[in-house]
Amino acid sequence: MTGTVLQGSVSVNQTVEIASLKVEKKVKSMQMFHKPVETAYKGDRVGICVTQMDAKSLERGLLAEPKSVPTIDGAIAAVEKIRFFK
C-alpha cells in the first residue's frame, strides 16, 4: 500500500487497522523513495507492506490505529429535491 501519512506516525512492527475491511495487520516493512525506513511521520509519502495481505482485496482505503476509526454499514438520510437554479 502506498500513500501519505496524514497525522501521527507509523513504525515497522506496529499494528494497524484497515478500516474498510475491519482487519488488523502488522506493518512488515516500509520504504520511502525506494529506501527502507523504520518510521514515517506526518506528510511523508510511504509504501507500507503489511503481513498476510492480498493486494487485490483493497483498492483504496485508510490505515489507522486499531479501534480509532468508527465504521458504519448504513445510514438514513433525508433528501429534498430542489429546483435547478438559473
Side-chain angles (χ1 to χ4, degrees):
M1 289 180 246
T2 59
T4 304
V5 180
L6 296 178
Q7 75 181 51
S9 64
V10 62
S11 302
V12 175
N13 293 325
Q14 180 180 352
T15 301
V16 293
E17 179 182 16
I18 303 167
S20 58
L21 300 177
K22 299 179 184 173
V23 295
E24 294 182 13
K25 298 288 183 181
K26 192 177 221 179
V27 176
K28 187 175 179 182
S29 65
M30 294 189 303
Q31 59 175 251
M32 271 194 289
F33 303 106
H34 303 289
K35 294 190 174 33
V37 293
E38 290 292 316
T39 305
Y41 300 99
K42 181 179 179 180
D44 289 344
R45 296 270 309 153
V46 65
I48 297 176
C49 177
V50 293
T51 57
Q52 299 175 354
M53 179 70 187
D54 181 25
K56 294 179 179 161
S57 64
L58 182 69
E59 182 176 330
R60 185 173 287 271
L62 176 74
L63 289 178
E65 186 75 24
K67 310 286 188 261
S68 66
V69 178
T71 57
I72 60 170
D73 292 324
I76 298 173
V79 179
E80 184 177 323
K81 184 177 177 181
I82 58 173
R83 279 189 49 199
F84 179 72
F85 180 75
K86 210 172 194 184

